[in-house]
Amino acid sequence: MTDKQFQWGNNKRYNDFPSSFKRRFSERIQKISIDAGFTCPNRDGSKGVGGCTYCNNNSFNPAYCSPKKTVTEQILLGIDFFNTKYKAQYYLAYFQAYSNTYGSLDHLKQIYEEALSHEKVVGLVIGTRPDCVSDSLLCYLEELAKDNYISIEYGVESLNNRALEAINRGHSYQEAEKTIMRTSGRGIHIGAHLVNGLPFDTPQMMIEHAVKLSNLPVDTLKMHQLQILNNTIMAKEYETEPEKFHLFEMEEYLDFIVDVIERINPRVSLERFINQAPKGWLIAPKWGVKNFEFVDKLDKRLVERDAWQGKLFKEIE
């Protein structure tokens, strides 16, 4: 093994997000998901209706999450939920469902500051779309970031505009790149999210998407395999035109992720590789593995291939 494989101070062959988080915080930090009742511009008619064709937020919202409850109530329920596992820890309020910057600045300030008012909440993680972030909001979050951990997770999903159109995303990749650049240099942690397997995206294109994103000022990359979920527009499309979709087999996806890891910027931390839909929601592909089991298989595959993050990385001019 080379020194490069251990430059992140862990025993992984990639820059894993949990280790980078431990380097930042001395205490254990847990995300608490919050549903603050947002929607999206491709749902409410501003840019479209129906939302992203693959989206069903009910498939990943924890039981304690409900827009019928206040932000404070959801935080307290989340703390009670996680206290059964971990006694001493702090929390990040994770505004997860739909586009969590899609509202007036006054309303956003109110809910963000309500979350930060809890003594055990040390920061915010805000999931949103790149077309729902104003300069005034970024200036406000820049101020918050002086005393708190502030992270924005941008749903980029694909760098292929044809794929974005196919899933009714309602924004282009160019908008995503511009927003990432507008966010950089403000002390805000920047995350990006990709879905691997969208219509019109080939595996080679997906690798190139991750590489290009890793050359932007992105701190964390999340990605997962496309899953066809019940009660979605995509489920109906998959039933009638299954050939439109590249649904990875697990072994194929393992090698695909190794190909990605070898080529992306070693500076970027990797937070997620797969999605795991609850029972009853998933139509395809059905791998039957949990997140930690996939990560264990990935670690072994990286050793088998003598691969590590950035081994083949080439900075894009």
Side-chain angles (χ1 to χ4, degrees), residues 54-118:
Y54 58 76
C55 183
N56 188 328
N57 267 277
N58 292 325
S59 68
F60 60 79
N61 254 8
Y64 60 80
C65 261
S66 171
K68 295 179 181 179
K69 299 182 177 71
T70 67
V71 169
T72 299
E73 287 171 339
Q74 292 181 68
I75 288 173
L76 293 174
L77 288 169
I79 290 174
D80 287 344
F81 176 82
F82 287 110
N83 268 347
T84 61
K85 297 181 179 180
Y86 313 104
K87 295 299 180 185
Q89 63 183 358
Y90 287 89
Y91 299 90
L92 298 175
Y94 184 14
F95 290 88
Q96 183 178 19
Y98 300 112
S99 300
N100 293 272
T101 58
Y102 189 43
S104 71
L105 184 57
D106 286 343
H107 176 63
L108 297 176
K109 287 181 177 181
Q110 177 187 338
I111 62 170
Y112 296 161
E113 289 171 20
E114 181 181 350
L116 289 170
S117 68
H118 192 284

Side-chain angles (χ1 to χ4, degrees), residues 178-245:
K178 287 177 182 177
T179 301
I180 289 170
M181 299 309 295
R182 287 195 295 120
T183 309
S184 66
R186 297 176 182 266
I188 300 169
H189 184 101
I190 303 174
H193 184 268
L194 289 173
V195 179
N196 295 314
L198 295 177
F200 305 113
D201 279 348
T202 66
Q204 183 57 41
M205 290 168 66
M206 297 172 214
I207 293 171
E208 292 168 0
H209 294 171
V211 171
K212 187 170 182 178
L213 269 185
S214 79
N215 275 274
L216 298 180
V218 167
D219 300 294
T220 301
L221 179 62
K222 280 184 175 180
M223 51 188 154
H224 64 74
Q225 82 284 22
L226 177 65
Q227 293 187 303
I228 311 295
L229 303 178
N230 279 313
N231 302 321
T232 61
I233 297 170
M234 186 170 282
K236 297 176 182 177
E237 294 174 344
Y238 180 67
E239 185 177 1
T240 57
E241 297 181 272
E243 68 278 1
K244 283 175 57 176
F245 303 93

